[in-house]
Amino acid sequence: MKIALGSAGAHTEVDLLAVLVSEDELAKNGTVDELDAALDGALRRAIKDEEFTAKRESSLTLQTLGRCPFRKVVLLGLGASSKVGAPEIRAAAARAAKAANAEKAASLAITLRSKADADELQPAAEGVALGAYRFTKYFTGDRRPKKSIERVQFGWYHAKDSVKPSAEQKRALAQAEAVAQSVNLTRDLVNEPANTLTPARLAEVAVEVAKKHGLTVKVFDREKIRAEGMQLLDAVGRGSRNEPRFIHLTYKPEKARKSRKRVVLVGKGLTFDSGGLCIKPAPGMGEMKSDMAGAALAVGAMNAVAQLKPDVEVHALIAAAENMPDGDAYRPGDVWGSLDGKTVEIINTDAEGRLVLADALAYGRKLQPDVMIDHATLTGACLVALGTQTAGFYANDDELAETYLKAAKTAGESMWRMPLLEELREGLKSDIADLKHTGDRYGGSIIGALFLREFIGDAKWVHLDIAGPAFLDRVSALGPKGGTGYGVLSFLAYLDALTA
Ligand code: BES
Ligand code: MN
Ligand code: ZN
């Protein structure tokens, strides 16, 4: 997808024109007036007839019947201009791209409200690339999309046909491309079926990303996982022929500096979660190909970090395994050691995520991070608590929680702080080992978080239960059904806040 700056009005030669407009600007929008004149008053008439007021998420589509170079024009409502920020611009641009896909348009012009200020241009450019995303690699013949968006032009009222971007605009476009590509990489990984995306393949992708962008990478195979003492990751991975992997990606800024912050990002990488011996019921089991969304987020985020080069050291740790029933699988009643040293009594082999994360967190702690952030599709209970679109957010430090939640807001991702209720810790007491890994059914997401907390030492820590928003069975604001790439934008916004 090529992105340029230039005109985006009644005479622009493209397949589809989309105009971003806020409620208070609708009546006096220059581009709307210009289009209305070209269409002999049909646009203002349609606005009136359809009672279009440019509310957030609203749109109005009109045929141009040969009066403009494009077949259709779409007005995209932004809501009240006082409330328009990056998330609104990003989502509206994504809707423009979705409309272009639906219209089989190869070129798209988008009219912005400003003269493409960087803080409007960047989310807009992210939005189109995210909205245009489709997972089509397994379609053949007629199912393959015949056209995709090749050219996007961002413009404003009375812009010249072609405009040379300023240095700042160039940077905004380059950053947007890196960010959107990374979110789409996360989506690709989440959507990829488990027969091809095995732990070994996930490690290969991490290595490819590292090679392409100059990151350091270490991969532990089963033998090395055992030798290192990651007994919990080994236990979970035992039941599958697709052997587990532990992946460690590192980004270090070029110039050495002592006071620089160090962030460890941990991701749950269950390439498939059948439940193991405590096997899941068939309906919905297929969705468990997405149980590596935390890992996919970590790979995507590192892909972006390597290009954005923030002044912070970032380590991504991925515990990848496949949870399967088998003669060699771990069982309920087993007791396993862990990298941390604590012993764990296994209650339910379907609570595998917290086990692989425990070893990854214990490894992360040794890197002496300023903050450790894990993402995991950890519990169905979190979906019950918060619905499908909001992640459960846990933190053991209020200031960190505030910074992270603020970053998530600018990223437009929904998360809700959950309590680490001490009274539920009781449920993790085992009669024969240091810990058991599940307690009561009630408070399931919190209990998962409390188990993880046992392995972080005194690190400042954020845990995100992304079981809901990582994979959706309906279209989302920024993309189609399936893997959403949730969490990458918030993490990058957090790094921004950390280095500001
Ligand atoms: N991967 C699942 C959680 C999940 C459920 C993610 C639905 C996305 C959608 C996790 O490994 C799991 O099976 N959790 C169990 C924990 C229970 C056995 C304590 C659950 O939520 O039922
Ligand atoms: Mn499970
Ligand atoms: Zn799982």
Side-chain angles (χ1 to χ4, degrees):
M1 184 187 292
K2 272 217 175 90
I3 296 186
L5 303 186
S7 74
H11 61 276
T12 303
E13 298 275 345
V14 281
D15 296 335
L16 183 72
L17 176 71
V19 184
L20 305 195
V21 56
S22 63
E23 281 169 6
D24 21 322
E25 291 157 343
L26 178 60
K28 50 181 171 18
N29 184 291
T31 303
V32 173
D33 287 337
E34 183 193 285
L35 286 160
D36 189 55
L39 298 169
D40 286 337
L43 186 56
R44 288 281 177 204
R45 215 174 314 134
I47 287 172
K48 207 170 151 231
D49 290 349
E50 312 246 321
E51 296 177 20
F52 177 76
T53 58
K55 271 210 265 313
R56 227 180 126 206
E57 287 173 35
S58 68
S59 64
L60 174 88
T61 306
L62 195 71
Q63 302 264 0
T64 60
L65 302 173
R67 291 169 189 270
C68 294
F70 34 90
R71 263 195 324 120
K72 286 182 184 174
V73 55
V74 197
L75 303 188
L76 295 168
L78 293 168
S81 54
S82 61
K83 289 192 182 145
V84 176
E88 288 72 26
I89 300 286
R90 198 182 285 115
R95 282 191 287 139
K98 286 182 186 185
N101 273 347
E103 295 295 328
K104 302 185 171 57
S107 57
L108 165 69
I110 298 181
T111 323
L112 299 174
R113 298 171 315 149
S114 71
K115 292 189 173 179
D117 299 340
D119 53 0
E120 186 169 20
L121 187 58
Q122 181 166 345
E126 286 169 5
V128 258
L130 294 173
Y133 175 85
R134 289 177 285 192
F135 186 71
T136 58
K137 73 184 272 203
Y138 290 110
F139 288 138
T140 69
D142 278 354
R143 295 294 312 274
R144 284 199 78 77
K146 275 159 267 317
K147 275 209 174 130
S148 54
I149 308 167
E150 281 156 23
R151 186 165 67 86
V152 178
Q153 178 150 308
F154 287 106
W156 50 93
Y157 181 51
H158 271 181
K160 281 187 287 188
D161 277 339
S162 157
V163 175
K164 223 177 128 206
S166 67
E168 207 190 345
Q169 286 167 326
K170 260 193 193 147
R171 227 190 77 211
L173 288 174
Q175 294 204 346
E177 196 192 341
V179 169
Q181 239 181 35
S182 302
V183 175
N184 287 340
L185 168 62
T186 298
R187 290 170 167 182
D188 274 341
L189 291 170
V190 173
N191 288 327
E192 188 65 37
N195 59 320
T196 53
L197 196 88
T198 58
R201 176 63 198 145
L202 186 58
E204 271 172 29
V205 175
V207 171
E208 285 164 20
V209 166
K211 280 209 176 123
K212 186 160 172 204
H213 297 298
L215 301 170
T216 324
V217 60
K218 272 196 262 183
V219 177
F220 297 175
D221 62 7
R222 177 176 273 167
E223 206 178 322
K224 177 81 171 153
I225 286 167
R226 286 181 179 163
E228 290 286 316
M230 299 177 140
Q231 292 192 51
L232 292 174
L233 175 57
D234 175 35
V236 170
R238 296 182 73 86
S240 176
R241 286 204 186 185
N242 296 315
E243 298 191 357
R245 291 288 185 276
F246 181 77
I247 306 159
H248 178 178
L249 284 160
T250 307
Y251 160 77
K252 274 191 189 156
E254 266 160 39
K255 282 198 204 104
R257 188 160 71 81
K258 246 201 160 161
S259 61
R260 187 178 285 132
K261 291 249 159 51
R262 183 179 300 141
V263 174
V264 168
L265 175 64
V266 177
K268 169 177 173 182
L270 266 289
T271 57
F272 188 68
D273 177 14
S274 70
L277 290 176
C278 308
I279 197 162
K280 287 179 184 292
M285 195 197 277
E287 217 175 272
M288 284 302 119
K289 70 172 185 179
S290 68
D291 210 18
M292 33 56 72
L297 180 160
V299 174
M302 290 309 275
N303 188 67
V305 163
Q307 295 174 74
L308 301 173
K309 305 193 189 304
D311 190 25
V312 51
E313 189 176 314
V314 190
H315 297 258
L317 308 177
I318 292 168
E322 187 176 38
N323 189 19
M324 297 290 256
D326 176 78
D328 203 31
Y330 80 133
R331 337 157 174 69
D334 280 5
V335 174
W336 291 85
S338 63
L339 182 63
D340 177 81
K342 290 195 174 85
T343 56
V344 181
E345 179 190 4
I346 305 304
I347 304 298
N348 183 324
T349 62
D350 198 12
E352 82 299 334
R354 61 199 71 183
L355 299 175
V356 304
L357 285 171
D359 278 347
L361 290 167
Y363 179 100
R365 206 170 100 198
K366 288 193 264 182
L367 301 169
Q368 295 181 302
D370 292 286
V371 46
M372 189 139 70
I373 299 159
D374 79 71
H375 290 85
T377 45
L378 203 67
T379 68
C382 196
L383 277 148
V384 175
L386 298 175
T388 57
Q389 296 174 60
T390 301
F393 177 94
Y394 296 84
N396 61 356
D397 182 273
D398 289 342
E399 204 184 308
L400 167 61
E402 200 181 311
T403 314
Y404 208 94
L405 290 170
K406 217 166 127 194
K409 218 172 202 148
T410 67
E413 292 179 324
S414 175
M415 33 187 90
W416 191 259
R417 189 162 182 194
M418 299 278 284
L420 290 155
L421 297 174
E422 295 304 332
E423 68 255 35
L424 297 182
R425 167 72 181 67
E426 191 70 15
L428 297 176
K429 281 193 180 147
S430 162
D431 293 335
I432 65 159
D434 295 335
L435 286 168
K436 54 185 192 183
H437 70 142
T438 64
D440 198 2
R441 192 161 71 86
Y442 299 117
S445 176
I446 297 172
I447 293 167
L450 288 172
F451 180 81
L452 298 179
R453 195 183 60 174
E454 296 295 317
F455 297 88
I456 58 165
D458 53 9
K460 284 191 184 169
W461 164 69
V462 164
H463 159 59
L464 276 147
D465 192 336
I466 58 170
F471 190 89
L472 294 176
D473 62 4
R474 58 175 151 169
V475 296
S476 67
L478 299 177
K481 286 183 187 184
T484 57
Y486 179 93
V488 177
L489 293 175
S490 295
F491 179 73
L492 296 175
Y494 170 70
L495 293 186
D496 252 359
L498 208 57
T499 52

